Amino acid sequence: MAQPTEKKKNPAVPTARPASRPVTPAQRTARRKALLHWIAVHSLGVAAALFFLLPFVFVLLTSLMGDQQALTRDLWPRDWKFDNYLTVWETPGFLTWWRNTLLYAGLGTVLSVVSSIPVAYALAKFRFRGRRLSLMLVISMMMLPPQVIIIPMYLFWAKQMDMSGSLWPLIIPMAFGDAFSIFLLRQFLLTIPDEYLDSARVDGCGELRTLLRVVLPMAKPGIAAVALFQFFYAWNDYFGPQIYASDNPAAWTLSYGLESFKGAHHTNWNLTMAATVLVMAPVILVFFFAQKAFVEGVTLTGVKG
């Protein structure tokens, strides 16, 4: 009588899984606390985001309403009036305000950054008599309100240089450095190890070549942060154009021209909001595409004092 053959175990077939360990009350409590902490943190983040975002949403929705609906309590447009932006763009003088603002913000930013880098490099990496006094003077200039020096500055540019009615009294001083930009760049350059500079000098690089070939590539986040700060300041500046360019509409910027536009269309809130969106859009786009470099530059600034 034939013996039954013994079945061989297939190693590929998994064996029965061991019973999972029961979750203890302490583990269950810890998981519940972690979940509640995650919900609380993200809820606060969402609430803060809505707090800052809702005004922009209100402005955007109002800019797409009709003339009559913009005066009501409606929050959602019945008919989407995208031609409001075209009406604002074709307003006489609006394109000129754009061109003047780009000139003021763009050229002023370039001049301020280029003139501030050598001063910040000297204060951060050079050892010379009076270095601390120079730094204190820079900090003192940061604390000095522009309203304190506006009268002598206006008398110089308007009476002596005869440049009233233009933006050049605001652009030319940026070619001589900005106290805030110098201080911020100086703090960032302190984070660059001196060993890199010493190696460049050993290889025969002079100070100018060391600055251009070694320091500037490593200081890109700090330079980007300073450039963005200066660009935002010039783009939103209202005080300066009001002092020097108020008597010449051809030299108005967007910030000053928007006030005039609002006065002329004080009942057309949809057009006023559309103009506001067109003024804010470039700043939002610049920050959106450069926010990584901006945050990195601000974060690393001040690590070393």
Side-chain angles (χ1 to χ4, degrees), residues 152-206:
M153 292 293 292
Y154 179 79
L155 293 176
F156 174 77
W157 290 109
K159 303 301 181 182
Q160 301 297 327
M161 304 300 295
D162 194 20
M163 288 188 177
S164 62
S166 68
L167 295 174
W168 291 112
L170 300 173
I171 297 175
I172 294 177
M174 294 184 181
F176 299 94
D178 175 70
F180 178 76
S181 301
I182 292 172
F183 177 76
L184 199 66
L185 281 172
R186 184 254 180 188
Q187 294 300 109
F188 186 89
L189 294 179
L190 287 175
T191 64
I192 298 178
D194 294 337
E195 288 76 9
Y196 291 103
L197 281 66
D198 295 337
S199 299
R201 296 186 184 108
V202 170
D203 291 338
C205 293

Short mmCIF file of all heavy atoms in Angstrom, two decimals, residues 152-206:
data_model
loop_
_atom_site.label_atom_id
_atom_site.label_comp_id
_atom_site.label_asym_id
_atom_site.label_seq_id
_atom_site.Cartn_x
_atom_site.Cartn_y
_atom_site.Cartn_z
N PRO A 152 15.72 120.73 4.60
CA PRO A 152 17.00 121.06 3.94
C PRO A 152 17.20 120.30 2.64
O PRO A 152 17.78 120.84 1.69
CB PRO A 152 18.05 120.68 4.99
CG PRO A 152 17.36 119.76 5.93
CD PRO A 152 15.94 120.19 5.95
N MET A 153 16.74 119.04 2.57
CA MET A 153 16.86 118.28 1.33
C MET A 153 16.04 118.93 0.21
O MET A 153 16.49 119.03 -0.94
CB MET A 153 16.43 116.84 1.54
CG MET A 153 17.37 116.04 2.43
SD MET A 153 18.99 115.77 1.67
CE MET A 153 18.55 114.68 0.33
N TYR A 154 14.84 119.37 0.54
CA TYR A 154 14.00 120.00 -0.48
C TYR A 154 14.60 121.33 -0.95
O TYR A 154 14.60 121.64 -2.15
CB TYR A 154 12.59 120.23 0.07
CG TYR A 154 11.67 120.91 -0.91
CD1 TYR A 154 11.07 120.19 -1.93
CD2 TYR A 154 11.43 122.28 -0.83
CE1 TYR A 154 10.24 120.82 -2.85
CE2 TYR A 154 10.60 122.92 -1.75
CZ TYR A 154 10.01 122.18 -2.75
OH TYR A 154 9.19 122.80 -3.66
N LEU A 155 15.12 122.10 0.00
CA LEU A 155 15.75 123.36 -0.39
C LEU A 155 16.96 123.14 -1.29
O LEU A 155 17.21 123.91 -2.22
CB LEU A 155 16.17 124.14 0.87
CG LEU A 155 15.03 124.66 1.74
CD1 LEU A 155 15.59 125.33 3.00
CD2 LEU A 155 14.15 125.62 0.97
N PHE A 156 17.69 122.05 -1.03
CA PHE A 156 18.86 121.76 -1.87
C PHE A 156 18.45 121.33 -3.27
O PHE A 156 18.93 121.88 -4.27
CB PHE A 156 19.71 120.68 -1.21
CG PHE A 156 20.85 120.21 -2.08
CD1 PHE A 156 22.00 120.98 -2.21
CD2 PHE A 156 20.78 118.99 -2.75
CE1 PHE A 156 23.05 120.55 -3.02
CE2 PHE A 156 21.82 118.56 -3.54
CZ PHE A 156 22.96 119.34 -3.68
N TRP A 157 17.53 120.36 -3.37
CA TRP A 157 17.18 119.81 -4.67
C TRP A 157 16.28 120.75 -5.47
O TRP A 157 16.40 120.83 -6.70
CB TRP A 157 16.49 118.46 -4.51
CG TRP A 157 17.40 117.38 -4.04
CD1 TRP A 157 17.40 116.78 -2.82
CD2 TRP A 157 18.44 116.75 -4.79
NE1 TRP A 157 18.39 115.82 -2.75
CE2 TRP A 157 19.04 115.77 -3.94
CE3 TRP A 157 18.94 116.90 -6.07
CZ2 TRP A 157 20.09 114.97 -4.37
CZ3 TRP A 157 20.00 116.10 -6.49
CH2 TRP A 157 20.56 115.15 -5.64
N ALA A 158 15.37 121.44 -4.79
CA ALA A 158 14.43 122.29 -5.51
C ALA A 158 14.99 123.68 -5.79
O ALA A 158 14.81 124.22 -6.90
CB ALA A 158 13.13 122.41 -4.71
N LYS A 159 15.67 124.26 -4.81
CA LYS A 159 16.15 125.62 -4.99
C LYS A 159 17.55 125.69 -5.60
O LYS A 159 17.81 126.48 -6.50
CB LYS A 159 16.14 126.34 -3.63
CG LYS A 159 14.78 126.37 -2.95
CD LYS A 159 13.73 127.05 -3.81
CE LYS A 159 12.37 127.10 -3.11
NZ LYS A 159 11.33 127.73 -3.96
N GLN A 160 18.46 124.86 -5.08
CA GLN A 160 19.84 124.91 -5.58
C GLN A 160 20.02 124.14 -6.89
O GLN A 160 20.66 124.63 -7.82
CB GLN A 160 20.78 124.35 -4.51
CG GLN A 160 20.74 125.11 -3.19
CD GLN A 160 21.19 126.54 -3.33
OE1 GLN A 160 22.07 126.85 -4.14
NE2 GLN A 160 20.61 127.44 -2.53
N MET A 161 19.44 122.93 -6.96
CA MET A 161 19.62 122.08 -8.14
C MET A 161 18.49 122.23 -9.15
O MET A 161 18.59 121.71 -10.27
CB MET A 161 19.74 120.62 -7.71
CG MET A 161 20.84 120.35 -6.71
SD MET A 161 22.48 120.80 -7.33
CE MET A 161 22.67 119.64 -8.66
N ASP A 162 17.39 122.90 -8.77
CA ASP A 162 16.25 123.14 -9.66
C ASP A 162 15.72 121.83 -10.25
O ASP A 162 15.53 121.70 -11.47
CB ASP A 162 16.65 124.10 -10.78
CG ASP A 162 15.43 124.66 -11.52
OD1 ASP A 162 14.32 124.61 -10.93
OD2 ASP A 162 15.59 125.09 -12.67
N MET A 163 15.46 120.82 -9.39
CA MET A 163 14.95 119.52 -9.84
C MET A 163 13.56 119.24 -9.31
O MET A 163 13.14 118.07 -9.30
CB MET A 163 15.91 118.41 -9.40
CG MET A 163 17.20 118.37 -10.15
SD MET A 163 18.18 116.90 -9.73
CE MET A 163 19.58 117.11 -10.82
N SER A 164 12.85 120.26 -8.86
CA SER A 164 11.48 120.01 -8.41
C SER A 164 10.61 119.64 -9.61
O SER A 164 10.87 120.05 -10.74
CB SER A 164 10.93 121.26 -7.73
OG SER A 164 10.87 122.35 -8.64
N GLY A 165 9.57 118.86 -9.34
CA GLY A 165 8.71 118.38 -10.42
C GLY A 165 9.23 117.16 -11.12
O GLY A 165 8.76 116.81 -12.21
N SER A 166 10.20 116.46 -10.51
CA SER A 166 10.74 115.22 -11.09
C SER A 166 11.05 114.25 -9.96
O SER A 166 10.98 114.59 -8.78
CB SER A 166 12.00 115.51 -11.91
OG SER A 166 13.06 115.92 -11.06
N LEU A 167 11.39 113.03 -10.35
CA LEU A 167 11.73 111.99 -9.38
C LEU A 167 13.23 111.87 -9.13
O LEU A 167 13.64 111.05 -8.31
CB LEU A 167 11.19 110.64 -9.87
CG LEU A 167 9.66 110.51 -9.97
CD1 LEU A 167 9.28 109.18 -10.58
CD2 LEU A 167 9.03 110.66 -8.60
N TRP A 168 14.02 112.67 -9.81
CA TRP A 168 15.48 112.55 -9.65
C TRP A 168 15.96 112.92 -8.25
O TRP A 168 16.94 112.34 -7.79
CB TRP A 168 16.18 113.41 -10.70
CG TRP A 168 16.01 112.86 -12.08
CD1 TRP A 168 15.31 113.42 -13.11
CD2 TRP A 168 16.53 111.64 -12.59
NE1 TRP A 168 15.36 112.62 -14.21
CE2 TRP A 168 16.10 111.51 -13.93
CE3 TRP A 168 17.31 110.62 -12.04
CZ2 TRP A 168 16.44 110.43 -14.72
CZ3 TRP A 168 17.64 109.53 -12.83
CH2 TRP A 168 17.21 109.44 -14.15
N PRO A 169 15.33 113.83 -7.52
CA PRO A 169 15.76 114.04 -6.13
C PRO A 169 15.55 112.82 -5.24
O PRO A 169 16.16 112.74 -4.16
CB PRO A 169 14.86 115.20 -5.67
CG PRO A 169 14.52 115.93 -6.91
CD PRO A 169 14.39 114.87 -7.96
N LEU A 170 14.72 111.86 -5.67
CA LEU A 170 14.54 110.62 -4.92
C LEU A 170 15.46 109.52 -5.41
O LEU A 170 15.83 108.63 -4.64
CB LEU A 170 13.08 110.16 -5.03
CG LEU A 170 12.01 111.12 -4.52
CD1 LEU A 170 10.62 110.59 -4.85
CD2 LEU A 170 12.16 111.32 -3.02
N ILE A 171 15.83 109.55 -6.68
CA ILE A 171 16.64 108.47 -7.27
C ILE A 171 18.13 108.71 -7.04
O ILE A 171 18.87 107.79 -6.67
CB ILE A 171 16.33 108.35 -8.78
CG1 ILE A 171 14.87 107.96 -8.99
CG2 ILE A 171 17.26 107.32 -9.42
CD1 ILE A 171 14.45 107.92 -10.45
N ILE A 172 18.60 109.95 -7.24
CA ILE A 172 20.03 110.23 -7.15
C ILE A 172 20.61 109.91 -5.78
O ILE A 172 21.70 109.31 -5.68
CB ILE A 172 20.31 111.69 -7.56
CG1 ILE A 172 19.97 111.89 -9.03
CG2 ILE A 172 21.76 112.06 -7.27
CD1 ILE A 172 20.13 113.32 -9.51
N PRO A 173 19.95 110.26 -4.65
CA PRO A 173 20.55 109.91 -3.34
C PRO A 173 20.74 108.42 -3.12
O PRO A 173 21.58 108.03 -2.31
CB PRO A 173 19.54 110.49 -2.34
CG PRO A 173 18.88 111.61 -3.07
CD PRO A 173 18.77 111.13 -4.49
N MET A 174 19.99 107.57 -3.83
CA MET A 174 20.16 106.13 -3.66
C MET A 174 21.50 105.66 -4.19
O MET A 174 21.96 104.56 -3.85
CB MET A 174 19.03 105.37 -4.36
CG MET A 174 17.67 105.60 -3.73
SD MET A 174 16.38 104.59 -4.52
CE MET A 174 14.95 105.10 -3.58
N ALA A 175 22.14 106.45 -5.05
CA ALA A 175 23.46 106.08 -5.57
C ALA A 175 24.55 106.23 -4.53
O ALA A 175 25.70 105.84 -4.78
CB ALA A 175 23.79 106.92 -6.81
N PHE A 176 24.23 106.78 -3.36
CA PHE A 176 25.22 106.98 -2.30
C PHE A 176 24.96 106.05 -1.11
O PHE A 176 25.46 106.30 -0.02
CB PHE A 176 25.20 108.44 -1.85
CG PHE A 176 25.55 109.40 -2.95
CD1 PHE A 176 24.55 110.00 -3.70
CD2 PHE A 176 26.87 109.70 -3.24
CE1 PHE A 176 24.86 110.89 -4.72
CE2 PHE A 176 27.19 110.58 -4.25
CZ PHE A 176 26.19 111.18 -5.00
N GLY A 177 24.19 105.01 -1.33
CA GLY A 177 23.98 104.01 -0.30
C GLY A 177 22.74 104.28 0.53
O GLY A 177 22.26 105.41 0.61
N ASP A 178 22.25 103.24 1.14
CA ASP A 178 21.08 103.32 2.01
C ASP A 178 21.45 102.68 3.35
O ASP A 178 22.02 101.58 3.39
CB ASP A 178 19.89 102.59 1.38
CG ASP A 178 18.69 102.55 2.30
OD1 ASP A 178 18.08 103.60 2.53
OD2 ASP A 178 18.37 101.45 2.80
N ALA A 179 21.13 103.37 4.44
CA ALA A 179 21.56 102.91 5.77
C ALA A 179 21.00 101.53 6.09
O ALA A 179 21.73 100.66 6.59
CB ALA A 179 21.14 103.93 6.82
N PHE A 180 19.73 101.31 5.82
CA PHE A 180 19.14 100.02 6.13
C PHE A 180 19.74 98.91 5.28
O PHE A 180 20.03 97.81 5.79
CB PHE A 180 17.62 100.09 5.91
CG PHE A 180 16.92 98.78 6.15
CD1 PHE A 180 16.70 98.32 7.44
CD2 PHE A 180 16.48 98.01 5.09
CE1 PHE A 180 16.06 97.12 7.67
CE2 PHE A 180 15.84 96.81 5.30
CZ PHE A 180 15.63 96.36 6.59
N SER A 181 19.98 99.18 4.00
CA SER A 181 20.58 98.18 3.12
C SER A 181 22.00 97.86 3.56
O SER A 181 22.43 96.69 3.55
CB SER A 181 20.57 98.67 1.67
OG SER A 181 19.26 98.93 1.24
N ILE A 182 22.77 98.88 3.95
CA ILE A 182 24.14 98.65 4.41
C ILE A 182 24.14 97.79 5.66
O ILE A 182 24.93 96.84 5.77
CB ILE A 182 24.83 100.00 4.66
CG1 ILE A 182 25.04 100.75 3.35
CG2 ILE A 182 26.17 99.79 5.37
CD1 ILE A 182 25.55 102.16 3.52
N PHE A 183 23.29 98.11 6.60
CA PHE A 183 23.26 97.34 7.85
C PHE A 183 22.83 95.90 7.61
O PHE A 183 23.43 94.96 8.15
CB PHE A 183 22.31 98.02 8.84
CG PHE A 183 22.16 97.28 10.13
CD1 PHE A 183 23.14 97.34 11.10
CD2 PHE A 183 21.03 96.51 10.38
CE1 PHE A 183 23.01 96.65 12.30
CE2 PHE A 183 20.89 95.82 11.57
CZ PHE A 183 21.87 95.89 12.54
N LEU A 184 21.79 95.70 6.79
CA LEU A 184 21.31 94.33 6.54
C LEU A 184 22.35 93.51 5.80
O LEU A 184 22.59 92.33 6.12
CB LEU A 184 20.01 94.39 5.74
CG LEU A 184 19.14 93.13 5.77
CD1 LEU A 184 18.61 92.89 7.18
CD2 LEU A 184 17.98 93.26 4.79
N LEU A 185 23.02 94.10 4.80
CA LEU A 185 24.06 93.39 4.07
C LEU A 185 25.27 93.10 4.97
O LEU A 185 25.88 92.03 4.87
CB LEU A 185 24.49 94.20 2.86
CG LEU A 185 23.58 94.14 1.64
CD1 LEU A 185 24.02 95.15 0.59
CD2 LEU A 185 23.54 92.74 1.04
N ARG A 186 25.61 94.05 5.82
CA ARG A 186 26.73 93.85 6.73
C ARG A 186 26.48 92.66 7.65
O ARG A 186 27.35 91.83 7.87
CB ARG A 186 26.97 95.12 7.52
CG ARG A 186 28.17 95.07 8.45
CD ARG A 186 27.75 94.93 9.89
NE ARG A 186 28.87 94.86 10.80
CZ ARG A 186 28.77 94.58 12.09
NH1 ARG A 186 27.58 94.34 12.63
NH2 ARG A 186 29.84 94.53 12.86
N GLN A 187 25.25 92.56 8.17
CA GLN A 187 24.92 91.44 9.04
C GLN A 187 24.97 90.12 8.28
O GLN A 187 25.38 89.10 8.84
CB GLN A 187 23.52 91.65 9.63
CG GLN A 187 23.42 92.84 10.58
CD GLN A 187 24.35 92.69 11.76
OE1 GLN A 187 25.35 93.40 11.86
NE2 GLN A 187 24.06 91.77 12.66
N PHE A 188 24.57 90.11 7.04
CA PHE A 188 24.63 88.87 6.26
C PHE A 188 26.07 88.50 5.92
O PHE A 188 26.44 87.32 5.98
CB PHE A 188 23.82 89.03 4.98
CG PHE A 188 23.70 87.75 4.18
CD1 PHE A 188 22.66 86.87 4.44
CD2 PHE A 188 24.62 87.43 3.21
CE1 PHE A 188 22.55 85.69 3.72
CE2 PHE A 188 24.52 86.26 2.49
CZ PHE A 188 23.48 85.38 2.76
N LEU A 189 26.89 89.47 5.56
CA LEU A 189 28.28 89.18 5.20
C LEU A 189 29.08 88.66 6.38
O LEU A 189 30.08 87.96 6.20
CB LEU A 189 28.94 90.43 4.63
CG LEU A 189 28.39 90.93 3.29
CD1 LEU A 189 29.12 92.18 2.84
CD2 LEU A 189 28.47 89.85 2.22
N LEU A 190 28.66 88.98 7.60
CA LEU A 190 29.34 88.44 8.77
C LEU A 190 29.21 86.93 8.86
O LEU A 190 30.03 86.27 9.52
CB LEU A 190 28.79 89.09 10.04
CG LEU A 190 29.19 90.54 10.31
CD1 LEU A 190 28.46 91.07 11.54
CD2 LEU A 190 30.69 90.67 10.47
N THR A 191 28.18 86.36 8.24
CA THR A 191 27.99 84.91 8.28
C THR A 191 28.90 84.16 7.32
O THR A 191 29.00 82.94 7.40
CB THR A 191 26.52 84.57 7.97
OG1 THR A 191 26.20 84.96 6.62
CG2 THR A 191 25.59 85.28 8.93
N ILE A 192 29.55 84.87 6.40
CA ILE A 192 30.47 84.23 5.45
C ILE A 192 31.81 84.03 6.15
O ILE A 192 32.42 84.99 6.64
CB ILE A 192 30.64 85.09 4.19
CG1 ILE A 192 29.29 85.26 3.48
CG2 ILE A 192 31.67 84.48 3.25
CD1 ILE A 192 29.36 86.13 2.26
N PRO A 193 32.32 82.80 6.23
CA PRO A 193 33.60 82.55 6.92
C PRO A 193 34.75 83.31 6.28
O PRO A 193 34.84 83.42 5.05
CB PRO A 193 33.78 81.03 6.79
CG PRO A 193 32.40 80.49 6.56
CD PRO A 193 31.69 81.54 5.77
N ASP A 194 35.64 83.82 7.10
CA ASP A 194 36.80 84.56 6.60
C ASP A 194 37.78 83.66 5.86
O ASP A 194 38.62 84.16 5.10
CB ASP A 194 37.52 85.26 7.75
CG ASP A 194 36.66 86.34 8.39
OD1 ASP A 194 35.75 86.84 7.71
OD2 ASP A 194 36.89 86.67 9.58
N GLU A 195 37.70 82.34 6.08
CA GLU A 195 38.63 81.42 5.42
C GLU A 195 38.49 81.48 3.90
O GLU A 195 39.49 81.34 3.17
CB GLU A 195 38.41 79.99 5.90
CG GLU A 195 38.89 79.73 7.32
CD GLU A 195 37.96 80.30 8.38
OE1 GLU A 195 36.85 80.74 8.00
OE2 GLU A 195 38.33 80.30 9.58
N TYR A 196 37.27 81.68 3.40
CA TYR A 196 37.09 81.78 1.95
C TYR A 196 37.80 83.01 1.40
O TYR A 196 38.44 82.95 0.34
CB TYR A 196 35.59 81.85 1.62
CG TYR A 196 34.84 80.58 1.89
CD1 TYR A 196 34.03 80.45 3.01
CD2 TYR A 196 34.92 79.50 1.01
CE1 TYR A 196 33.34 79.29 3.27
CE2 TYR A 196 34.23 78.33 1.26
CZ TYR A 196 33.44 78.22 2.39
OH TYR A 196 32.76 77.06 2.64
N LEU A 197 37.73 84.10 2.10
CA LEU A 197 38.38 85.32 1.66
C LEU A 197 39.90 85.19 1.75
O LEU A 197 40.63 85.64 0.84
CB LEU A 197 37.91 86.51 2.50
CG LEU A 197 36.54 87.11 2.16
CD1 LEU A 197 35.40 86.14 2.42
CD2 LEU A 197 36.32 88.41 2.93
N ASP A 198 40.39 84.56 2.81
CA ASP A 198 41.83 84.38 2.94
C ASP A 198 42.38 83.48 1.83
O ASP A 198 43.47 83.73 1.30
CB ASP A 198 42.15 83.77 4.31
CG ASP A 198 41.79 84.72 5.45
OD1 ASP A 198 41.71 85.93 5.22
OD2 ASP A 198 41.55 84.22 6.58
N SER A 199 41.62 82.45 1.47
CA SER A 199 42.06 81.57 0.37
C SER A 199 42.13 82.33 -0.95
O SER A 199 43.07 82.13 -1.74
CB SER A 199 41.09 80.39 0.24
OG SER A 199 41.06 79.62 1.43
N ALA A 200 41.15 83.20 -1.19
CA ALA A 200 41.18 83.99 -2.43
C ALA A 200 42.37 84.95 -2.44
O ALA A 200 43.02 85.14 -3.48
CB ALA A 200 39.88 84.76 -2.57
N ARG A 201 42.66 85.54 -1.30
CA ARG A 201 43.81 86.45 -1.23
C ARG A 201 45.13 85.71 -1.43
O ARG A 201 46.06 86.22 -2.07
CB ARG A 201 43.80 87.19 0.10
CG ARG A 201 42.59 88.10 0.30
CD ARG A 201 42.71 88.91 1.57
NE ARG A 201 41.53 89.72 1.84
CZ ARG A 201 40.64 89.47 2.79
NH1 ARG A 201 40.82 88.43 3.60
NH2 ARG A 201 39.59 90.25 2.95
N VAL A 202 45.22 84.50 -0.89
CA VAL A 202 46.44 83.70 -1.08
C VAL A 202 46.64 83.36 -2.55
O VAL A 202 47.77 83.31 -3.05
CB VAL A 202 46.36 82.42 -0.22
CG1 VAL A 202 47.49 81.45 -0.58
CG2 VAL A 202 46.45 82.78 1.26
N ASP A 203 45.52 83.15 -3.26
CA ASP A 203 45.61 82.83 -4.69
C ASP A 203 45.89 84.05 -5.55
O ASP A 203 45.96 83.93 -6.78
CB ASP A 203 44.31 82.17 -5.15
CG ASP A 203 44.14 80.78 -4.55
OD1 ASP A 203 45.16 80.20 -4.15
OD2 ASP A 203 42.99 80.29 -4.48
N GLY A 204 46.02 85.21 -4.93
CA GLY A 204 46.39 86.40 -5.68
C GLY A 204 45.25 87.34 -5.99
O GLY A 204 45.45 88.29 -6.76
N CYS A 205 44.08 87.12 -5.44
CA CYS A 205 42.95 88.00 -5.70
C CYS A 205 43.05 89.27 -4.86
O CYS A 205 43.36 89.20 -3.66
CB CYS A 205 41.63 87.30 -5.40
SG CYS A 205 41.24 85.93 -6.51
N GLY A 206 42.79 90.41 -5.47
CA GLY A 206 42.70 91.64 -4.72
C GLY A 206 41.35 91.74 -4.03
O GLY A 206 40.49 90.85 -4.15
#
